């Protein structure tokens, strides 16, 4: 697409959204009591009376006499708290983003529709057993009750051009597929252009050996940003670990987890508890999906991390002269513009994604998620599981997304299980980012969870996962993994803390120490010394400038312990120096390559070995630049910011009306408390990381603790939009009990829902 067309579309969308923000004004403040009074309890289609208790943070606990009634109430809760979020997710799943964002999102919709995210939904619905259909239909009935009966539209409906639309079971499944989109797609968008560069083979080998996935810095309306943000629920990092009863101070198994996802308002997670004849769970759910993704029941607790599973292949079809394609035409409706027809081609290799995303070749995408698989039934069975064996059986039905499940049992045992459906590829390094057509043969046979051996009650007394590279399995699990910093830090703290307490578990979720950073620090110190000993006239700043800067920077680095509290000046000096060295030393192609990675520190460290002349000169320049920055900024938190905003908060000028908080924050991309950031020597925002925390002791029914980075309610102006932020920053959490007495104690506001006379009992 010509640049001027792209610029024109951006300008039109900016004008459209800016007018909407300016016309809307400031949302009306709503207390928690006012928001609870807005819940449309009358006429909720339940066959028996239902009770919903709420705590002071707007977290519900549902008690129902039938499973379907429980699902109905759960659907109503999701819609009451997050109706805007549900509508946005549905539009993403169907490629209808331009209906909200205007002309700038036409290419996003073309890409989403070409990807075929909802392709498998009809087949999924056909394969679901009756009990799953009953639960799903009840959930949809609850959503539609709010859609039909809510007294007001959410305040941001007019900002996004939304109107109420009833839901179907297919819509929920489409949202579920969007939530499990492949993490590798965003990586490919960044790396494809680099394949034309002469040094690509070396860069690719380096990535396979030491690289990891990426999350785009979420700002603007470019295709990559929109895909990364709208498919955010699938782009998981996360930590999860469990401690065996023998190593626990309480004599019971412990579990903790904190999923890493894009930082947004409202949060991507919501918290809920519920009890019915088949279910008794408390934990965190994704809006629009009726199951507990991480949490506990009376007998088990579970958390998961993404192994970045290789559930897709990108096939180069450029050399196939007679490959037949099917073509269909769809129409994209555009807010503030004319409808846009798009032609979508597919092949036996998958949709032709290069038609939607410029790639200078004909590429087709093959994704496991294009075929039906019943993850909802698997997750419901997982929520009901009473033992690790039952959990493993439930997990075998999961195809996408792949998960490293961490499980703790009330009996004291712990376990770890990979759950994914993957092509049975050979165990060999991937030759390139793009596969040749003959690799389609690998898609004739698949491995599933039962093919990956579990890790059960290991001698060290704990299991842990942090997106790290697992031991080799029956087929390659992924191509890209996270550095080992987080998993090694968690393991070292647990090993040193025996016996482990629940307080140890929750404190570890806030840990900001990265011991692995000290190796790069030491290399930099050696290079800084060489930079001060350069011969006169060697290029770059003068020796006097370098020596002066060294006196400012070196003491901070020497005293630094690898920790990233927001008050640290050593962390600031280290990050500034790393960013400036890379900017002065690496080529434009190398910087683009490192920019495609979730964290570049591991790869940059490998480049800083021999003190070559050009490297020493780059370090001298970086040292002087770092000293200058240290005069403008005092601590790590001065440039590392936690910015909480609505999805439209990134718009220039007018977006500031939708920014709710901007504050210093600790952590970094490789810390247990992940607050991921670009490697830039200037103020920036953490755009991805730890946005929810959960921990529990399986020996105590009311021990579970949970907190969201922001708040539970998605209603702009609500008292509970950001009310959990102080808890998150201070290391506190909400009590999430499971006993009847504990729920009555912590969830004091009661909403009594009578049986609906117009609905016959199920």
């Amino acid at each position: 697409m010509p640049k001027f067309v792209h610029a024109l579309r951006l300008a039109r969308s900016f004008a459209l959204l800016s007018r909407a923000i300016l016309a809307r004004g400031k949302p009306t403040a709503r207390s928690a009591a006012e928001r609870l009074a807005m819940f449309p309890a009358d006429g909720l289609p339940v066959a028996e009376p239902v009770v919903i208790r709420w705590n002071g943070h707007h977290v519900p606990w549902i008690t129902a006499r039938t499973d379907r009634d429980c699902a109905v109430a759960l659907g109503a809760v999701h819609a009451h708290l997050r109706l805007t979020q549900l509508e946005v997710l549905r539009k993403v799943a169907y490629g209808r983003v331009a209906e909200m964002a205007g002309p700038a999102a036409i290419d996003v919709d073309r890409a989403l529709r070409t990807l075929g995210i909802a392709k498998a939904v009809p087949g999924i619905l056909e394969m679901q057993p009756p009990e799953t259909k009953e639960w799903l239909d009840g959930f949809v009935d609850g959503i539609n009750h709010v859609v039909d009966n809510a007294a007001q539209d959410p305040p941001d409906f007019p900002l996004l051009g939304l109107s109420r639309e009833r839901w179907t079971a297919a819509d929920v499944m489409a949202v579920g597929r969007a939530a499990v989109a492949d993490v590798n797609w965003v990586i490919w968008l960044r790396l494809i252009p680099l394949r034309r560069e002469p040094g690509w083979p070396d860069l690719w080998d380096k990535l396979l050996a030491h690289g990891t996935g990426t999350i785009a810095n979420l700002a603007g309306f470019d295709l990559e940003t929109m895909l990364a943000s709208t498919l955010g629920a699938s782009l998981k990092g996360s930590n999860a670990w469990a401690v065996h009863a023998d190593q626990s101070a309480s004599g019971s198994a412990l579990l903790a987890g904190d999923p890493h996802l894009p930082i947004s308002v409202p949060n991507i997670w919501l918290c809920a508890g519920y009890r019915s004849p088949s279910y008794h769970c408390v934990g965190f759910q994704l809006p629009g999906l009726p199951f507990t993704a991480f949490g506990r029941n009376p007998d088990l607790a579970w958390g998961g991390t993404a192994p970045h599973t290789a559930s897709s292949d990108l096939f180069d079809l450029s050399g196939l002269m007679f490959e037949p394609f099917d073509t269909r035409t769809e129409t994209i409706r555009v807010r503030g513009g004319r409808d846009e027809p798009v032609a979508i081609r597919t092949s036996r290799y998958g949709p032709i994604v290069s038609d939607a995303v410029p790639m200078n070749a004909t590429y087709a995408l093959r994704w496991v998620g294009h075929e039906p698989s019943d993850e909802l039934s698997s997750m419901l069975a997982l929520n009901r599981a009473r033992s690790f064996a039952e959990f493993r059986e439930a997990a075998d039905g999961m195809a996408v997304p792949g998960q490293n499940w961490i499980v703790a049992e009330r009996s004291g045992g712990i376990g770890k299980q990979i759950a994914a459906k993957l092509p049975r590829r050979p165990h060999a390094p991937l030759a390139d980012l793009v596969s040749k057509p003959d690799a389609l043969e690998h898609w004739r046979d698949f491995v599933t969870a039962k093919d990956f051996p579990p890790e059960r009650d290991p001698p060290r007394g704990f299991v842990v996962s942090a997106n790290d590279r697992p031991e080799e399995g029956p087929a390659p699990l992924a191509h890209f993994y996270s550095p080992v910093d987080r998993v090694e830090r968690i393991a070292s703290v647990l090993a040193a803390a025996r016996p482990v307490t629940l307080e140890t578990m929750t404190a570890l979720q806030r840990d900001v120490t990265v011991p692995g950073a000290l190796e790069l620090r030491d290399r930099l110190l050696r290079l800084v010394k060489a930079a001060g000993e350069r011969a006169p006239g060697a290029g770059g700043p003068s020796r006097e400038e370098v020596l002066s800067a060294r006196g400012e920077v070196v003491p901070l680095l020497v005293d630094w312990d690898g920790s990233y509290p927001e008050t640290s000046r050593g962390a600031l000096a280290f990050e500034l120096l790393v960013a400036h060295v890379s900017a002065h030393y690496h080529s434009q192609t190398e910087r683009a390559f490192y920019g495609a990675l979730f964290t570049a520190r591991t790869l940059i460290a490998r480049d800083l070995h021999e003190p070559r002349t050009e490297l020493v000169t780059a370090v001298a320049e970086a040292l002087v630049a770092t000293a200058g920055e240290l005069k403008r900024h005092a601590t790590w938190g001065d440039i590392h910011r936690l910015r909480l905003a609505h999805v439209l908060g990134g718009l220039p000028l007018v977006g500031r009306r939708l920014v709710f908080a901007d504050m210093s924050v600790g952590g970094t991309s490789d810390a247990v408390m992940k607050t991921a950031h670009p490697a830039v020597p200037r103020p920036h925002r953490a755009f991805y990381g730890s946005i929810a925390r959960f921990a529990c002791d399986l020996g105590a029914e009311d021990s579970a603790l949970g907190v969201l980075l922001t708040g539970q309610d998605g209603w702009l102006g609500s008292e509970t939009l950001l009310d959990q932020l102080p808890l998150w920053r201070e290391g506190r959490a909400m009590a999430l009990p499971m006993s009847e007495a504990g729920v009555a104690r912590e969830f004091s506001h009661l909403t009594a829902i009578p049986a609906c006379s117009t609905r016959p009992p199920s």
Side-chain angles (χ1 to χ4, degrees):
M1 179 177 61
K3 290 184 178 179
F4 77 90
V5 175
H6 180 65
L8 181 61
R9 288 179 176 177
L10 283 174
R12 289 168 59 194
S13 283
F14 172 69
L16 179 93
L17 296 169
S18 296
R19 285 196 300 269
I21 292 173
L22 293 172
R24 183 62 188 172
K26 186 177 181 180
T28 302
R30 299 283 186 182
S31 69
E34 288 175 315
R35 282 290 291 136
L36 288 173
M38 294 170 68
F39 183 80
D42 291 343
L44 191 68
V46 294
E48 302 285 345
V50 171
V51 172
I52 306 179
R53 287 185 171 273
W54 308 81
N55 72 3
H57 298 283
H58 221 144
V59 173
W61 185 280
I62 300 165
T63 304
R65 299 177 187 177
T66 72
D67 290 342
R68 183 188 175 99
D69 286 351
C70 184
V72 170
L74 190 60
V77 163
H78 278 230
H80 172 69
L81 295 171
R82 304 289 183 86
L83 188 58
T84 298
Q85 199 171 28
L86 295 185
E87 293 297 341
V88 170
L89 290 171
R90 177 165 59 174
K91 281 185 164 46
V92 168
Y94 289 126
R96 297 172 57 191
V97 180
E99 295 176 26
M100 301 181 292
I106 290 173
D107 288 339
V108 174
D109 282 348
R110 178 182 288 110
L112 290 170
R113 295 185 188 211
T114 301
L115 287 168
I117 289 172
K119 175 179 180 290
V121 167
I124 295 172
L125 293 173
E126 288 181 5
M127 68 190 304
Q128 288 176 342
E131 60 271 18
T132 299
K133 292 180 183 292
E134 183 80 357
W135 181 267
L136 177 57
D137 288 343
F139 185 75
V140 172
D141 284 349
I143 293 176
N144 284 332
H145 176 76
V146 175
V147 170
D148 294 340
N149 296 285
Q152 300 177 35
D153 287 340
D156 46 357
F157 257 43
L159 303 182
L160 295 167
L162 297 173
S163 59
R164 299 192 211 182
E165 299 178 30
R166 300 192 97 244
W167 280 63
T168 66
D171 294 340
V172 174
M173 291 297 92
V175 167
R177 267 312 195 244
V180 299
D182 193 337
V183 65
N184 296 292
W185 296 348
V186 180
I187 301 173
W188 294 346
L189 281 174
R190 287 190 167 190
L191 294 182
I192 282 290
L194 301 181
R195 294 182 70 246
R196 300 190 297 271
E197 300 295 332
W200 169 252
D202 290 339
L203 292 176
W204 176 250
D205 289 344
K206 185 184 295 187
L207 177 59
L208 287 182
H210 307 288
T212 182
T214 180
I215 303 298
N217 197 349
L218 307 182
F221 280 105
D222 59 283
L223 174 63
E224 177 188 333
T225 293
M226 292 295 287
L227 285 176
S229 58
T230 53
L231 300 178
S234 72
L235 303 176
K236 296 180 181 177
S238 311
N239 307 309
W241 63 93
V243 175
H244 194 277
D246 291 346
Q247 303 297 329
S248 162
S250 70
S252 303
L254 309 174
L255 180 134
D258 54 289
H260 301 162
L261 288 166
I263 295 171
S264 62
V265 178
N267 202 291
I268 293 173
W269 296 102
L270 63 80
C271 186
Y274 49 98
R275 186 171 190 171
S276 69
S278 300
Y279 299 96
H280 188 185
C281 299
V282 67
F284 291 90
Q285 306 180 325
L286 290 166
L289 299 181
F291 54 79
T292 299
F294 70 105
R296 69 165 297 182
N297 64 33
D299 298 297
L300 289 181
W302 57 92
T305 75
H308 303 160
T309 45
S311 60
S312 302
D313 274 339
L314 199 59
F315 289 99
D316 186 350
L317 307 185
S318 303
L320 300 182
M321 297 180 62
F322 305 108
E323 183 66 29
F325 296 155
D326 294 324
T327 303
R328 71 180 188 275
T329 301
E330 297 188 7
T331 300
I332 297 173
R333 289 186 292 172
V334 182
R335 183 184 181 189
R338 292 180 299 180
D339 291 352
E340 182 88 5
V342 294
I344 298 172
R345 295 192 297 168
T346 59
S347 71
R348 62 192 177 102
Y349 295 88
I352 309 303
V353 291
S354 53
D355 289 348
V357 183
M359 293 182 176
N360 296 311
T362 302
Y363 292 151
L365 175 76
R366 186 83 168 200
W367 177 40
V368 171
H370 282 144
E371 300 301 322
S373 53
D374 188 8
E375 281 77 17
L376 178 55
S377 292
S378 291
M379 288 304 303
L380 293 177
L382 183 155
N383 290 173
R384 297 189 303 265
R386 294 294 181 259
S387 67
F388 183 67
E390 290 183 12
F391 190 99
R392 283 198 73 209
E393 184 177 354
D396 191 53
M398 299 184 65
V400 288
Q403 287 286 299
N404 284 312
W405 287 113
I406 300 293
V407 181
E409 296 176 300
R410 187 170 62 170
S411 63
I414 57 175
K416 180 178 179 180
Q417 178 65 53
I418 292 172
K421 181 179 179 181
L422 295 168
R424 197 176 289 274
R425 301 183 182 96
H427 283 286
L430 192 63
D432 200 350
L433 180 67
V434 180
S435 299
K436 295 180 179 180
D438 58 8
L440 187 62
E441 184 67 23
H442 304 152
W443 289 76
R444 294 182 180 275
D445 188 25
F446 294 87
V447 298
T448 62
K450 67 178 184 298
D451 298 307
F452 289 93
E455 184 178 357
R456 189 79 165 104
D457 297 333
R460 64 179 181 174
F462 59 84
V463 289
V464 58
S465 178
N467 318 114
D468 49 303
R469 188 185 298 268
E471 295 183 5
E472 191 171 283
L477 181 64
H479 306 309
F480 316 114
Y481 299 95
S482 291
V484 298
D485 298 86
R486 285 183 288 125
V487 72
E488 289 186 348
R489 177 63 177 170
I490 293 168
S492 66
V493 170
L494 294 177
R498 296 172 180 166
V500 181
T501 65
L502 189 60
E503 290 73 21
T504 302
M505 304 282 277
T506 57
L508 185 50
Q509 291 175 321
R510 296 178 286 115
D511 189 277
V512 294
T513 298
V514 186
L518 296 179
E519 179 183 356
L520 177 54
R521 186 273 313 267
D522 293 342
R523 292 184 187 179
L524 287 170
L525 285 173
R526 290 192 290 270
L527 291 169
V528 165
K529 180 180 179 182
E533 297 170 352
R534 292 177 311 145
S542 68
R543 185 176 183 185
E544 290 72 20
E545 290 175 307
V546 173
L547 291 176
S548 175
R550 191 169 70 175
E552 297 286 337
V553 177
V554 167
L556 296 174
L557 295 179
V558 170
D559 292 340
W560 184 51
D561 62 356
S563 185
Y564 284 80
E566 58 194 77
T567 56
S568 173
R569 190 161 172 80
L572 172 67
F574 174 75
E575 288 291 334
L576 289 173
L577 186 58
V578 170
H580 279 300
V581 168
S582 182
H584 285 91
Y585 180 62
H586 290 117
S587 68
Q588 183 175 352
T589 298
E590 289 173 320
R591 290 198 301 274
F593 174 70
Y594 291 143
L597 307 180
F598 189 73
T599 172
R601 182 175 56 79
T602 303
L603 295 169
I604 291 174
R606 298 186 62 81
D607 293 340
L608 307 184
H609 283 285
E610 299 299 326
R612 298 180 295 275
T613 300
E614 62 271 25
L615 175 56
V616 172
T617 299
V619 170
E621 293 170 328
L623 191 62
V624 172
T626 297
E629 295 288 347
L630 287 170
K631 291 181 172 63
R632 289 186 284 273
H633 307 293
T635 66
W636 174 231
D638 284 350
I639 71 168
H640 191 50
R641 311 294 296 176
L642 180 62
R643 181 174 175 269
L644 301 176
H646 187 268
V647 66
L648 298 181
L651 288 173
L653 301 177
V654 294
R656 288 179 294 185
R657 294 186 176 211
L658 296 171
V659 175
F660 310 116
D662 189 342
M663 61 192 75
S664 62
V665 68
T668 184
S669 297
D670 298 327
V672 176
M673 192 185 86
K674 181 188 286 290
T675 51
H677 57 94
V680 292
R682 59 180 179 271
H684 56 262
R685 67 185 177 100
F687 56 88
Y688 180 91
S690 173
I691 64 170
R693 300 175 184 144
F694 180 85
C696 69
D697 182 326
L698 270 294
E701 195 173 19
D702 292 340
S703 67
L705 301 168
V707 66
L708 294 169
L709 169 59
T710 51
Q712 176 85 336
D713 197 5
W715 189 278
L716 298 189
S718 170
E719 181 183 354
T720 57
L721 180 72
L722 293 173
D723 66 311
Q724 294 179 51
L725 176 60
L727 302 182
W728 188 88
R729 287 179 65 81
E730 296 163 14
R732 296 183 289 130
M734 302 176 291
L736 300 176
M738 299 199 69
S739 72
E740 186 175 344
V743 171
R745 181 179 63 251
E746 298 292 338
F747 294 73
S748 57
H749 183 94
L750 187 147
T751 300
I753 301 171
C756 180
S757 60
T758 60
R759 185 196 184 283
S762 58

